[in-house]
C-alpha cells in the first residue's frame, strides 16, 4: 500500500516555519552560510479512525503528521539536535478531508509543529 501524499504541503510547512521565525525574531533568512540551519522532511502523513459508532463506522477520524527536523547552531553546537515533531487534527468521520476541511487541518497541525520547533530551537535566545 502506498503512503498518502498531499502535494505541496512540504512547501507550505517550510513557509510557515520561515514566517514564524522571521515574525518572532530579528533573524534574517539567507540561502546559505547562516549561523542556524533547519533541515527536515515530513516522515509520516496518516489518516485513521479514532472512534467508532455502534455499527462500526468511523465517528471521528484523525489526520496526523510527523516532521523530522535537523537543527544546527554553528555558534553553539550543543544546541543542535535532530528530533521528530508530531501533531494531529480530529474531524468527523462522516466528512471527507478535502478543500477547506483539509486546509483547516493542515493549518492547525502546522501551527503547533512550527511553534514546537521554534521553542525547541530558539527558546533560549
Amino acid at each position: 500500500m502506498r503512503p498518502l501524499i498531499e502535494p505541496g504541503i512540504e512547501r507550505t510547512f517550510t513557509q510557515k516555519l520561515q514566517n514564524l521565525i522571521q515574525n518572532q525574531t530579528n533573524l534574517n533568512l539567507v540561502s546559505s552560510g547562516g549561523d542556524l540551519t533547519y533541515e527536515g522532511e515530513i516522515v509520516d502523513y496518516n489518516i485513521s479512525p479514532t472512534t467508532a459508532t455502534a455499527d462500526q463506522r468511523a465517528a471521528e477520524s484523525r489526520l496526523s503528521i510527523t516532521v523530522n527536523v535537523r537543527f544546527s547552531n554553528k555558534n553553539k553546537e550543543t544546541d543542535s539536535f535532530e528530533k521528530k515533531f508530531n501533531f494531529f487534527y480530529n474531524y468527523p468521520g462522516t466528512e471527507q478531508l478535502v478543500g477547506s476541511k483539509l486546509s483547516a487541518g493542515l493549518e492547525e497541525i502546522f501551527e503547533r509543529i512550527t511553534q514546537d520547533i521554534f521553542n525547541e530551537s530558539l527558546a533560549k535566545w
Side-chain angles (χ1 to χ4, degrees):
M1 184 173 165
R2 289 181 56 138
L4 292 172
I5 298 173
E6 189 63 43
I9 66 170
E10 69 284 351
R11 185 173 187 274
T12 302
F13 179 81
T14 298
Q15 290 173 334
K16 292 219 176 279
L17 182 59
Q18 288 173 344
N19 288 342
L20 177 67
I21 292 168
Q22 288 182 309
N23 290 338
Q24 293 191 17
T25 70
N26 61 355
L27 298 172
N28 295 316
L29 184 64
V30 296
S31 58
S32 64
D35 292 334
L36 308 176
T37 304
Y38 292 86
E39 298 175 296
E41 53 278 331
I42 296 172
V43 295
D44 188 42
Y45 180 100
N46 186 37
I47 298 174
S48 59
T50 58
T51 58
T53 61
D55 61 353
Q56 300 302 310
R57 293 188 186 165
E60 187 175 72
S61 294
R62 172 175 287 179
L63 168 62
S64 178
I65 296 178
T66 303
V67 178
N68 186 58
V69 175
R70 290 171 300 284
F71 171 74
S72 300
N73 184 334
K74 190 165 61 173
N75 297 324
K76 192 171 182 189
E77 289 290 328
T78 56
D79 286 350
S80 299
F81 63 82
E82 181 169 358
K83 184 176 178 179
K84 290 181 180 175
F85 297 86
N86 177 283
F87 200 64
F88 60 88
Y89 173 74
N90 292 336
Y91 60 98
T94 57
E95 296 182 13
Q96 293 290 320
L97 192 61
V98 295
S100 63
K101 179 66 69 178
L102 176 60
S103 295
L106 292 174
E107 179 70 27
E108 186 172 318
I109 291 169
F110 289 170
E111 182 177 321
R112 175 63 177 269
I113 293 176
T114 56
Q115 190 64 55
D116 287 349
I117 293 167
F118 179 89
N119 291 344
E120 185 77 19
S121 60
L122 298 173
K124 299 174 186 174
W125 280 50

Coordinates of all heavy atoms in Angstrom, one line a residue, residues 6-71:
E6 N 0.1 14.4 0.1 CA -0.7 15.6 -0.2 C 0.3 16.6 -0.9 O 1.1 17.2 -0.2 CB -1.3 16.2 1.1 CG -2.3 17.3 0.8 CD -3.5 16.9 0.0 OE1 -4.0 15.8 0.3 OE2 -3.9 17.6 -0.9
P7 N 0.2 16.7 -2.2 CA 1.2 17.5 -2.9 C 1.3 19.0 -2.4 O 0.2 19.6 -2.1 CB 0.7 17.5 -4.3 CG -0.2 16.3 -4.4 CD -0.8 16.1 -3.1
G8 N 2.5 19.5 -2.2 CA 2.7 20.9 -1.8 C 2.7 21.2 -0.3 O 3.1 22.3 0.1
I9 N 2.4 20.2 0.5 CA 2.4 20.5 1.9 C 3.8 20.8 2.5 O 3.9 21.5 3.5 CB 1.6 19.5 2.8 CG1 2.3 18.1 2.8 CG2 0.2 19.3 2.4 CD1 1.8 17.2 3.9
E10 N 4.8 20.2 1.9 CA 6.2 20.5 2.4 C 6.5 21.9 2.2 O 7.2 22.6 3.0 CB 7.2 19.5 1.8 CG 7.5 19.7 0.3 CD 6.4 19.2 -0.7 OE1 5.4 18.5 -0.3 OE2 6.5 19.6 -1.9
R11 N 6.1 22.5 1.1 CA 6.4 23.9 0.8 C 5.6 24.8 1.7 O 6.1 25.8 2.3 CB 6.0 24.2 -0.7 CG 6.4 25.6 -1.1 CD 6.1 25.8 -2.6 NE 6.6 27.1 -3.1 CZ 5.8 28.2 -3.0 NH1 4.6 28.2 -2.6 NH2 6.3 29.3 -3.5
T12 N 4.4 24.5 2.0 CA 3.5 25.2 2.9 C 4.1 25.2 4.3 O 4.2 26.2 5.0 CB 2.1 24.6 2.9 OG1 1.5 24.7 1.6 CG2 1.2 25.4 3.9
F13 N 4.6 24.0 4.7 CA 5.2 23.9 6.0 C 6.4 24.7 6.1 O 6.6 25.4 7.1 CB 5.5 22.4 6.3 CG 6.2 22.2 7.7 CD1 5.4 22.2 8.8 CD2 7.5 22.1 7.8 CE1 6.0 22.1 10.1 CE2 8.1 22.0 9.0 CZ 7.4 22.0 10.1
T14 N 7.3 24.7 5.1 CA 8.6 25.4 5.1 C 8.3 26.9 5.3 O 8.9 27.6 6.0 CB 9.4 25.2 3.9 OG1 9.7 23.8 3.8 CG2 10.6 26.0 3.8
Q15 N 7.3 27.4 4.5 CA 6.9 28.8 4.5 C 6.4 29.2 5.9 O 6.7 30.3 6.4 CB 5.9 29.1 3.5 CG 6.5 29.1 2.1 CD 5.4 29.2 1.0 OE1 4.2 28.9 1.2 NE2 5.8 29.7 -0.2
K16 N 5.6 28.3 6.5 CA 5.0 28.7 7.9 C 6.2 28.7 8.9 O 6.1 29.6 9.7 CB 4.0 27.6 8.3 CG 2.8 27.7 7.4 CD 1.6 27.4 8.3 CE 0.3 27.6 7.5 NZ -0.1 29.0 7.3
L17 N 7.1 27.8 8.8 CA 8.3 27.9 9.8 C 9.1 29.1 9.5 O 9.5 29.8 10.5 CB 9.1 26.6 9.7 CG 10.3 26.6 10.6 CD1 9.8 26.6 12.1 CD2 11.1 25.3 10.4
Q18 N 9.4 29.5 8.3 CA 10.2 30.7 8.0 C 9.4 31.9 8.5 O 10.0 32.8 9.1 CB 10.4 30.8 6.4 CG 11.4 29.8 5.9 CD 11.5 29.8 4.4 OE1 10.6 30.3 3.7 NE2 12.5 29.2 3.9
N19 N 8.1 32.0 8.2 CA 7.4 33.2 8.6 C 7.4 33.3 10.2 O 7.5 34.4 10.7 CB 5.9 33.1 8.1 CG 5.8 33.3 6.6 OD1 6.8 33.9 6.0 ND2 4.7 32.9 6.0
L20 N 7.2 32.2 10.9 CA 7.2 32.3 12.3 C 8.5 32.8 12.9 O 8.6 33.7 13.7 CB 6.9 30.9 12.9 CG 7.0 30.7 14.4 CD1 5.8 31.5 15.1 CD2 6.9 29.3 14.8
I21 N 9.6 32.3 12.3 CA 11.0 32.7 12.8 C 11.2 34.2 12.4 O 11.7 34.9 13.3 CB 12.0 31.8 12.2 CG1 11.9 30.4 12.8 CG2 13.4 32.4 12.4 CD1 12.7 29.3 12.1
Q22 N 10.8 34.6 11.2 CA 11.0 36.0 10.9 C 10.1 36.9 11.6 O 10.5 38.1 11.9 CB 10.8 36.2 9.4 CG 12.0 35.5 8.6 CD 11.8 35.7 7.1 OE1 10.7 35.4 6.5 NE2 12.8 36.2 6.4
N23 N 8.9 36.5 12.0 CA 8.0 37.4 12.7 C 8.3 37.5 14.2 O 7.9 38.4 14.8 CB 6.5 36.9 12.5 CG 6.0 37.1 11.1 OD1 6.6 38.0 10.4 ND2 5.0 36.3 10.7
Q24 N 8.9 36.5 14.8 CA 9.2 36.4 16.2 C 10.6 36.6 16.6 O 10.9 36.6 17.8 CB 8.6 35.1 16.8 CG 7.1 35.0 16.7 CD 6.5 33.9 17.5 OE1 7.2 33.3 18.4 NE2 5.3 33.6 17.2
T25 N 11.5 36.9 15.6 CA 12.9 37.1 15.9 C 13.4 38.3 15.0 O 12.7 38.7 14.1 CB 13.8 35.9 15.7 OG1 13.9 35.7 14.3 CG2 13.3 34.7 16.4
N26 N 14.6 38.7 15.2 CA 15.2 39.6 14.3 C 16.2 38.9 13.4 O 17.1 39.6 12.8 CB 15.9 40.8 15.1 CG 17.0 40.2 16.0 OD1 17.2 39.0 16.1 ND2 17.8 41.1 16.6
L27 N 16.1 37.6 13.2 CA 16.9 36.9 12.3 C 16.6 37.1 10.9 O 15.4 37.4 10.6 CB 16.8 35.4 12.6 CG 17.2 34.9 14.0 CD1 16.9 33.5 14.3 CD2 18.7 35.2 14.2
N28 N 17.5 37.0 10.0 CA 17.3 37.2 8.6 C 17.5 35.9 7.9 O 18.4 35.1 8.2 CB 18.3 38.2 8.0 CG 18.1 39.6 8.5 OD1 17.0 40.1 8.6 ND2 19.2 40.2 8.9
L29 N 16.7 35.6 6.9 CA 16.7 34.4 6.1 C 17.8 34.6 5.0 O 17.8 35.5 4.3 CB 15.4 34.2 5.4 CG 15.2 32.9 4.6 CD1 15.3 31.7 5.5 CD2 13.8 32.9 3.9
V30 N 18.7 33.6 4.9 CA 19.8 33.6 3.9 C 19.8 32.2 3.2 O 19.3 31.2 3.8 CB 21.2 33.9 4.5 CG1 21.2 35.3 5.1 CG2 21.6 32.8 5.6
S31 N 20.2 32.2 2.0 CA 20.2 30.9 1.2 C 21.3 30.0 1.6 O 21.2 28.8 1.4 CB 20.2 31.2 -0.3 OG 21.4 32.0 -0.6
S32 N 22.4 30.5 2.1 CA 23.5 29.6 2.6 C 24.4 30.3 3.5 O 24.4 31.6 3.5 CB 24.3 29.0 1.4 OG 24.9 30.1 0.7
G33 N 25.2 29.6 4.3 CA 26.2 30.2 5.2 C 25.6 30.8 6.5 O 26.3 31.6 7.1
G34 N 24.4 30.5 6.8 CA 23.8 31.1 8.0 C 24.3 30.4 9.3 O 24.9 29.4 9.3
D35 N 24.1 31.1 10.4 CA 24.5 30.6 11.7 C 23.6 29.4 12.2 O 24.0 28.5 12.9 CB 24.5 31.7 12.8 CG 25.6 32.7 12.5 OD1 26.6 32.4 11.9 OD2 25.4 33.8 12.9
L36 N 22.3 29.5 11.8 CA 21.3 28.4 12.1 C 20.9 27.8 10.9 O 20.6 28.4 9.9 CB 20.1 29.1 12.9 CG 20.4 30.0 14.1 CD1 19.2 30.5 14.6 CD2 21.2 29.2 15.2
T37 N 20.7 26.5 10.9 CA 20.3 25.7 9.7 C 19.1 24.8 10.2 O 19.3 24.0 11.1 CB 21.4 24.9 9.1 OG1 22.5 25.8 8.8 CG2 20.9 24.2 7.9
Y38 N 18.0 24.8 9.4 CA 16.9 23.9 9.6 C 16.8 23.0 8.4 O 16.8 23.5 7.3 CB 15.6 24.6 9.8 CG 15.5 25.4 11.0 CD1 16.0 26.7 11.1 CD2 14.9 24.9 12.1 CE1 15.8 27.5 12.2 CE2 14.7 25.7 13.3 CZ 15.2 27.0 13.3 OH 15.1 27.7 14.5
E39 N 16.8 21.7 8.6 CA 16.6 20.7 7.5 C 15.6 19.7 8.0 O 15.5 19.5 9.2 CB 17.9 20.0 7.2 CG 19.0 20.8 6.7 CD 20.3 20.0 6.4 OE1 20.8 19.5 7.4 OE2 20.7 19.9 5.3
G40 N 14.9 19.1 7.1 CA 14.0 18.0 7.6 C 13.1 17.6 6.5 O 13.2 18.0 5.3
E41 N 12.2 16.7 6.9 CA 11.2 16.1 6.0 C 10.0 15.7 6.7 O 10.1 15.4 7.9 CB 11.8 14.9 5.2 CG 12.4 13.8 6.0 CD 13.8 14.1 6.5 OE1 14.6 14.9 5.8 OE2 14.2 13.7 7.6
I42 N 8.9 15.6 6.0 CA 7.7 15.1 6.6 C 7.8 13.5 6.4 O 8.0 13.0 5.3 CB 6.4 15.6 5.8 CG1 6.3 17.1 6.0 CG2 5.2 14.8 6.3 CD1 5.2 17.7 5.1
V43 N 7.9 12.9 7.6 CA 8.1 11.4 7.6 C 6.8 10.6 7.8 O 6.9 9.4 7.6 CB 9.2 11.0 8.7 CG1 10.5 11.7 8.3 CG2 8.7 11.4 10.0
D44 N 5.8 11.2 8.2 CA 4.5 10.5 8.3 C 3.3 11.4 8.1 O 3.3 12.5 8.6 CB 4.4 9.9 9.7 CG 3.2 8.9 9.8 OD1 2.9 8.2 8.9 OD2 2.5 9.0 10.9
Y45 N 2.4 11.0 7.3 CA 1.1 11.6 7.0 C 0.1 10.5 7.0 O 0.1 9.6 6.2 CB 1.2 12.3 5.6 CG 0.0 13.0 5.1 CD1 -0.1 14.4 5.2 CD2 -1.1 12.3 4.6 CE1 -1.3 15.0 4.8 CE2 -2.3 13.0 4.2 CZ -2.3 14.3 4.3 OH -3.4 15.0 3.8
N46 N -0.7 10.5 8.0 CA -1.6 9.4 8.3 C -3.0 9.8 8.6 O -3.2 10.7 9.4 CB -1.0 8.6 9.4 CG -1.8 7.3 9.7 OD1 -2.2 6.6 8.7 ND2 -1.9 6.9 10.9
I47 N -4.0 9.2 8.0 CA -5.4 9.4 8.3 C -5.9 8.1 8.9 O -5.8 7.0 8.2 CB -6.2 9.8 7.1 CG1 -5.7 11.2 6.6 CG2 -7.7 9.9 7.5 CD1 -6.4 11.6 5.3
S48 N -6.5 8.1 10.1 CA -7.0 6.9 10.7 C -8.3 7.2 11.5 O -8.4 8.3 12.0 CB -5.9 6.3 11.6 OG -5.6 7.2 12.6
P49 N -9.1 6.2 11.7 CA -10.3 6.4 12.6 C -9.8 6.5 14.0 O -8.9 5.8 14.4 CB -11.2 5.2 12.3 CG -10.2 4.2 11.8 CD -9.1 4.9 11.1
T50 N -10.5 7.3 14.9 CA -10.1 7.3 16.3 C -11.2 6.8 17.2 O -10.9 6.2 18.2 CB -9.8 8.8 16.7 OG1 -10.9 9.6 16.5 CG2 -8.6 9.3 16.0
T51 N -12.4 6.9 16.7 CA -13.6 6.3 17.5 C -14.5 5.7 16.5 O -14.6 6.2 15.3 CB -14.3 7.4 18.4 OG1 -14.8 8.4 17.5 CG2 -13.4 7.9 19.4
A52 N -15.3 4.8 16.9 CA -16.3 4.1 16.0 C -17.7 4.2 16.6 O -17.9 4.3 17.8 CB -15.9 2.7 15.8
T53 N -18.7 4.1 15.7 CA -20.1 4.1 16.1 C -20.4 2.6 16.4 O -19.6 1.7 16.2 CB -21.0 4.6 15.0 OG1 -20.8 3.8 13.8 CG2 -20.6 6.1 14.7
A54 N -21.6 2.4 16.9 CA -22.1 1.1 17.2 C -22.1 0.2 16.0 O -21.9 -1.0 16.1 CB -23.5 1.1 17.8
D55 N -22.3 0.7 14.8 CA -22.3 -0.1 13.6 C -20.9 -0.1 12.9 O -20.9 -0.3 11.7 CB -23.4 0.4 12.6 CG -23.3 1.8 12.2 OD1 -22.4 2.5 12.7 OD2 -24.0 2.2 11.3
Q56 N -19.9 0.1 13.6 CA -18.5 0.0 13.2 C -18.1 1.0 12.1 O -17.2 0.8 11.3 CB -18.2 -1.4 12.7 CG -18.4 -2.5 13.7 CD -17.5 -2.2 14.9 OE1 -16.3 -2.0 14.8 NE2 -18.1 -2.3 16.1
R57 N -18.7 2.2 12.1 CA -18.3 3.3 11.2 C -17.5 4.3 12.0 O -17.6 4.4 13.2 CB -19.5 4.0 10.6 CG -20.3 3.1 9.7 CD -21.3 3.9 9.0 NE -22.1 3.0 8.2 CZ -23.3 3.3 7.7 NH1 -23.8 4.5 7.9 NH2 -24.0 2.5 6.9
A58 N -16.6 5.0 11.3 CA -15.7 5.9 12.0 C -16.6 7.1 12.4 O -17.2 7.8 11.6 CB -14.6 6.4 11.1
A59 N -16.6 7.4 13.7 CA -17.3 8.5 14.3 C -16.4 9.7 14.2 O -16.9 10.9 14.0 CB -17.8 8.3 15.7
E60 N -15.1 9.5 14.3 CA -14.2 10.6 14.3 C -12.9 10.0 13.6 O -12.5 8.9 13.8 CB -13.9 11.1 15.7 CG -13.0 12.3 15.7 CD -12.8 12.9 17.1 OE1 -12.1 12.2 17.9 OE2 -13.4 13.9 17.4
S61 N -12.3 10.8 12.8 CA -11.0 10.5 12.1 C -10.0 11.5 12.5 O -10.2 12.6 13.0 CB -11.2 10.4 10.6 OG -12.1 9.4 10.2
R62 N -8.7 11.0 12.3 CA -7.6 11.9 12.7 C -6.5 11.9 11.6 O -6.1 10.9 11.1 CB -6.9 11.3 14.0 CG -5.6 12.0 14.4 CD -5.1 11.5 15.7 NE -5.9 12.0 16.7 CZ -5.8 11.7 18.0 NH1 -4.8 10.9 18.4 NH2 -6.6 12.3 18.9
L63 N -6.2 13.2 11.3 CA -5.0 13.4 10.4 C -3.8 13.7 11.3 O -3.9 14.5 12.2 CB -5.2 14.6 9.5 CG -4.0 15.1 8.7 CD1 -3.5 14.0 7.8 CD2 -4.3 16.4 7.9
S64 N -2.8 12.9 11.1 CA -1.6 13.0 12.0 C -0.4 13.2 11.1 O -0.2 12.5 10.1 CB -1.4 11.8 12.8 OG -0.2 11.9 13.6
I65 N 0.5 14.2 11.4 CA 1.7 14.5 10.6 C 2.9 14.5 11.5 O 2.8 15.1 12.6 CB 1.5 15.8 9.8 CG1 0.4 15.7 8.8 CG2 2.8 16.2 9.2 CD1 0.1 17.0 8.1
T66 N 3.9 13.9 11.1 CA 5.2 13.9 11.8 C 6.3 14.5 10.9 O 6.4 14.1 9.7 CB 5.6 12.5 12.2 OG1 4.6 11.9 13.0 CG2 6.9 12.5 13.0
V67 N 7.1 15.4 11.5 CA 8.2 16.0 10.8 C 9.5 15.7 11.5 O 9.5 15.9 12.7 CB 7.9 17.6 10.7 CG1 9.1 18.3 10.0 CG2 6.6 17.9 10.0
N68 N 10.5 15.3 10.8 CA 11.8 15.1 11.3 C 12.6 16.3 11.0 O 12.7 16.7 9.9 CB 12.4 13.8 10.7 CG 13.7 13.5 11.4 OD1 13.8 13.3 12.6 ND2 14.8 13.4 10.7
V69 N 13.2 16.9 12.1 CA 14.0 18.2 11.9 C 15.4 18.0 12.4 O 15.6 17.4 13.4 CB 13.3 19.3 12.7 CG1 14.1 20.6 12.7 CG2 11.9 19.6 12.2
R70 N 16.3 18.5 11.6 CA 17.7 18.6 12.0 C 18.0 20.1 12.1 O 18.0 20.8 11.1 CB 18.6 17.9 10.9 CG 18.5 16.4 10.9 CD 19.2 15.7 9.7 NE 18.7 16.2 8.4 CZ 17.6 15.8 7.8 NH1 16.8 14.9 8.5 NH2 17.3 16.2 6.6
F71 N 18.4 20.5 13.3 CA 18.7 21.9 13.6 C 20.1 22.0 13.9 O 20.6 21.2 14.8 CB 17.8 22.4 14.7 CG 18.2 23.8 15.2 CD1 17.9 24.9 14.5 CD2 18.9 23.9 16.4 CE1 18.3 26.2 14.9 CE2 19.3 25.2 16.9 CZ 19.0 26.3 16.1

